[in-house]
Amino acid sequence: RSSLAQKKRITASVNVYLILQKENQILLQLRQNTGYLDHHWSLAAGHVEPGEAATAALIREAQEELNICILPENLNVVHIMHRKTNRMNVDIFFSCKEWKGEPMNAEPKKCKGIAFFSLNDLPSPLIEYNAFALQAWTQGQFYSERGFV
């Protein structure tokens, strides 16, 4: 029997992030009551559920969090991050320039507010790895790694 059969495979959380673009601005949310980086600005985001495609997860999260409808063909993967925290994460950042509906804070218990910001004037505090991914994206860097020594 080969050693491959006994090899332990890693499991990773697959996370999706929305870079919703209006002209040269992007939409950010101010987190609250989530237990994770509350009072920080972040991209709209969520976890991919078992059996769910990444684009479907992001479309679902955009509907739940912002009350907007996004078509799969309007999503473009612009950055992938392999990130190590207390778990392994594969973060997929999508840009989107077209959607239906007016973005609104559809989860006020988890989000204090939403706003569009210029990429040249992002608010603080912004979740560090979100800021890193946005900078990588604007510099044309498609892939990054964070949290590995």
Side-chain angles (χ1 to χ4, degrees):
R1 205 151 158 94
S2 81
S3 62
L4 280 179
Q6 290 135 21
K7 197 175 233 183
K8 188 175 190 288
R9 302 283 180 199
I10 66 159
T11 57
S13 177
V14 179
N15 313 301
V16 290
Y17 300 82
L18 178 61
I19 303 171
L20 197 68
Q21 294 179 261
K22 183 171 73 174
E23 289 134 29
N24 72 333
Q25 296 187 318
I26 61 166
L27 186 96
L28 295 173
Q29 301 176 308
L30 186 55
R31 300 174 63 85
Q32 71 174 357
N33 303 321
T34 68
Y36 178 74
L37 294 173
D38 288 331
H39 314 294
H40 283 66
W41 290 94
S42 72
L43 295 165
H47 302 284
V48 176
E49 301 293 335
E52 186 178 41
T55 51
L58 194 59
I59 289 166
R60 174 180 51 76
E61 293 289 351
Q63 180 68 52
E64 290 173 3
E65 295 181 12
L66 302 171
N67 199 34
I68 59 172
C69 180
I70 296 175
L71 298 175
E73 58 266 27
N74 292 326
L75 291 172
N76 294 300
V77 176
V78 295
H79 191 74
I80 304 281
M81 184 182 293
H82 189 196
R83 186 170 50 92
K84 183 179 171 191
T85 57
N86 59 335
R87 65 178 185 211
M88 296 298 270
N89 298 278
V90 176
D91 300 326
I92 308 171
F93 295 82
F94 292 86
S95 71
C96 178
K97 294 179 180 176
E98 290 184 48
W99 63 88
K100 289 190 174 75
E102 189 60 36
M104 61 172 280
N105 182 6
E107 292 186 325
K109 284 186 169 57
K110 293 196 231 172
C111 175
K112 190 171 184 175
I114 65 170
F116 279 94
F117 293 92
S118 166
L119 282 166
N120 301 323
D121 191 24
L122 295 174
S124 184
L126 176 59
I127 292 178
E128 183 277 333
Y129 71 91
N130 281 208
F132 184 88
L134 288 168
Q135 182 178 19
W137 165 58
T138 59
Q139 295 173 350
Q141 180 186 353
F142 188 73
Y143 177 78
S144 64
E145 294 175 349
R146 307 290 284 166
F148 296 90
V149 180

